[in-house]
Structures are given as structure tokens and as C-alpha cells.
């Protein structure tokens, strides 16, 4: 087995566990453009002290320069890490971009694509998000594909059509590939106003139906994360909603205490 085969075998093994029904929920920490190298090491020490680096259902998504720290600090840990974005291109004259092969080289198990902040601030289209996901799959990195509607789309009732459009773009790329979907209503991100349990339950069921109808077994087992103002106060309740396979956590993942409490509040077997 060469290095690429080993990496693929590891991500296949991890995915087959995380994709299982009733598997431990996933806790993905999206740090966005926050923290220093010192902060990153302090956070990892905090997780290690709480034995949370032994959990393969935890992953950290730091800014690009700190992936290297994660690669070195987590080399004997089950916890994973990933990037927040990737180029659709493989290599070449693309100043400022980072390729999927480079992320794989740095040991990334996952990479977020289509986060609403990138869709809104960098004009990323559904088609570009799909191409980025395809670039990741080629390198054996699991895409975490974000979808979500704006407040106006939620309030007008158009949100299902918007989500269906975002999903339609990525489905042809996914086929039987292993990927993770993240439902992140734009109006819930960073606002302190998470979607209600009813909204999350209904929307995740809708997304699950879309996935299963289009992708069969691959769609039935793909994890669907919820993201948007997840906190110590609401994680346990959200974690009990059917079709919620875990969380993509922004603000509350910056503080090791809050992040650990979210993990603790939703651990399997806890009420
Ligand atoms: P938030 O961000 O938890 O701060 O709302 C979530 C995200 O953007 O992934």
C-alpha cells in the first residue's frame, strides 16, 4: 500500500463508522478566521486534558496556516481536522489558493465547502461548490458541503426550493462517494438565534429524503450536521432530533470549555 492507499483506507474506515445510524454525533469546530498559533496549541491541550482527542467524532477546522500544527499535534489522536475551503483547481497560477492535494498532504480528513460566508462574500455559486467537492473527492478528502437558506427565503416559504437547488448541484458529483452534508440556515449563523427543533427536524427530514431519493444507500447513510448558533444550552436538544448526525459549530467552538460542554451534553447515553 502506498501513502495514498493508506490515507484512503483510513478515511473509508472512519467514514463507515461515522455514517452509521445511531453513531456518536459529530462535533465539527469551524474556527473561521480566528485564533493564533499559541491559541491553537492551548485549545488542543485543553482537549487532550479532557481526553477528547481520543474521539474520532471530533474534528477541528482551523485557518490554513494552522493545519500544520494540527497535523503534528494530532498524529497519534483519533480526532481529525480539516480545512475551511479549497481551490477547484489542481495546481498552477492561482495566487492565494490551496489545492485539495495540498490539504491531503497536510493530513486533512475533511474540508468544508459552500459555507454561506463564502457563498455571500466571495460569490461562490452552486456549480463552483460542486467542483470544489469533486476536487476533494479526487484526493480522498471528505467534503463537508454546506447548504442553507436566507431569512427572506425561510420566511417566504421558498427555503425548500433553495435547498433543493443547492443539493441538485452537488448530487451528480457525489454519486456513491462519502461526504457529509451540513444544514446551516444563514439567519442562524453567528446570530445567537438557532433554528427551532421543529424547523431543524422538518428540514433535516427534507434533506434526508432528497439524499436517499437521489443517491440510494449512499444518501441514506451520509451524515447531516446542523450548524447555526449551536451552544451549550441547545446542543442536547438539537442532538436528539431525528436525522441530526452532529454539529458544525462556529462561535461556541472557539472556547475549549464551551466546546467540551457541548460534546459532554450530547454524548451517547446522556439524556
Ligand atoms: P455559529 O457558526 O455557530 O457561530 O453560528 C456556525 C458556522 O458558521 O459554521
Amino acid at each position: 500500500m502506498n501513502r495514498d492507499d493508506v490515507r484512503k483506507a483510513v478515511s473509508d474506515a472512519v467514514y463507515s463508522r461515522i455514517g452509521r445510524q445511531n453513531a456518536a454525533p459529530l462535533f465539527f469546530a469551524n474556527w473561521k478566521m480566528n485564533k493564533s498559533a499559541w491559541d491553537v496549541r492551548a485549545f488542543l491541550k485543553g482537549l487532550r486534558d479532557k481526553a477528547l482527542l481520543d474521539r474520532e467524532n471530533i474534528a477541528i477546522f482551523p485557518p490554513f496556516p494552522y493545519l500544520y500544527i494540527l497535523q503534528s499535534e494530532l498524529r497519534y489522536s483519533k480526532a481529525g481536522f480539516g480545512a475551511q475551503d479549497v481551490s477547484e483547481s489542481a495546481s498552477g497560477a492561482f495566487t492565494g489558493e490551496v489545492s485539495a492535494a495540498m490539504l491531503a498532504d497536510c493530513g486533512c480528513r475533511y474540508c468544508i465547502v459552500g459555507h454561506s460566508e463564502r457563498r455571500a462574500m466571495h460569490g461562490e455559486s452552486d456549480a463552483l461548490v460542486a467542483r470544489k467537492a469533486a476536487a476533494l473527492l479526487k484526493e480522498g478528502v471528505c467534503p463537508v458541503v454546506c447548504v442553507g437558506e436566507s431569512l427572506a427565503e425561510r420566511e417566504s416559504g421558498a427555503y425548500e426550493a433553495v435547498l433543493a437547488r443547492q443539493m441538485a448541484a452537488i448530487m451528480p458529483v457525489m454519486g456513491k462517494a462519502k461526504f457529509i452534508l451540513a444544514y446551516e440556515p444563514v439567519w442562524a449563523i453567528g446570530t445567537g438565534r438557532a433554528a427551532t427543533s421543529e424547523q431543524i427536524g422538518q428540514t433535516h427530514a427534507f434533506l434526508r429524503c432528497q439524499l436517499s431519493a437521489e443517491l440510494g444507500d449512499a444518501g441514506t447513510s451520509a451524515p447531516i450536521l446542523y450548524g447555526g448558533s449551536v451552544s451549550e444550552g441547545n446542543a442536547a436538544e438539537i442532538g436528539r432530533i431525528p436525522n441530526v448526525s452532529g454539529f458544525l459549530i462556529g462561535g461556541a467552538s472557539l472556547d475549549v470549555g464551551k466546546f467540551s460542554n457541548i460534546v459532554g451534553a450530547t454524548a451517547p447515553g446522556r439524556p
Side-chain angles (χ1 to χ4, degrees):
M1 263 195 186
N2 64 25
R3 191 198 57 161
D4 287 348
D5 292 337
V6 171
R7 198 179 61 225
K8 187 168 177 319
V10 169
S11 44
D12 281 356
V14 168
Y15 189 89
S16 70
R17 278 192 288 278
I18 62 178
R20 260 191 342 233
Q21 296 289 328
N22 305 322
L26 301 173
F27 300 94
F28 283 9
N30 176 12
W31 284 351
K32 310 191 180 185
M33 197 171 73
N34 290 295
K35 294 198 181 289
S36 65
W38 190 92
D39 295 335
V40 175
R41 290 183 205 282
F43 189 98
L44 295 179
K45 182 180 178 320
L47 284 189
R48 184 170 290 114
D49 290 348
K50 293 171 195 291
L52 292 180
L53 292 183
D54 299 334
R55 306 262 198 104
E56 65 190 12
N57 58 329
I58 287 179
I60 313 286
F61 295 75
F64 286 128
Y66 304 140
L67 288 172
Y68 215 65
I69 302 178
L70 277 280
Q71 183 179 30
S72 125
E73 297 269 330
L74 299 191
R75 67 189 180 282
Y76 301 117
S77 302
K78 289 188 182 158
F81 59 93
Q84 300 171 14
D85 186 33
V86 66
S87 170
E88 64 173 306
S89 303
S91 66
F94 301 100
T95 302
E97 294 285 271
V98 174
S99 74
M102 293 169 187
L103 298 183
D105 255 357
C106 287
C108 288
R109 198 182 285 165
Y110 314 98
C111 177
I112 297 170
V113 288
H115 191 282
S116 63
E117 285 155 16
R118 294 211 60 86
R119 289 181 191 257
M121 294 179 217
H122 301 270
E124 294 198 4
S125 64
D126 295 333
L128 176 61
V129 172
R131 291 198 298 275
K132 289 184 173 197
L136 291 168
L137 290 172
K138 220 166 141 200
E139 295 298 331
V141 178
C142 179
V144 181
V145 183
C146 300
V147 296
E149 80 284 357
S150 67
L151 187 58
E153 289 159 348
R154 166 61 62 173
E155 287 179 344
S156 71
Y159 64 96
E160 286 194 345
V162 170
L163 294 170
R165 189 204 71 220
Q166 293 174 344
M167 299 280 288
I170 55 154
M171 301 275 208
V173 171
M174 294 311 168
K176 298 205 177 319
K178 297 171 173 67
F179 70 102
I180 294 171
L181 192 67
Y183 169 56
E184 296 212 310
V186 179
W187 46 274
I189 295 177
T191 58
R193 176 190 167 193
T196 64
S197 294
E198 196 186 351
Q199 289 169 325
I200 297 172
Q202 185 271 334
T203 310
H204 277 235
F206 171 76
L207 294 172
R208 176 63 73 208
C209 282
Q210 298 261 311
L211 284 173
S212 310
E214 284 292 322
L215 306 176
D217 286 351
T220 307
S221 59
I224 309 177
L225 310 183
Y226 169 77
S229 295
V230 173
S231 69
E232 298 163 284
N234 61 23
E237 182 178 335
I238 297 173
R240 283 193 291 268
I241 300 171
N243 292 305
V244 171
S245 324
F247 309 88
L248 186 53
I249 310 160
S253 76
L254 293 172
D255 180 292
V256 73
K258 287 185 185 164
F259 184 66
S260 311
N261 286 342
I262 290 173
V263 175
T266 43
R270 293 280 291 270

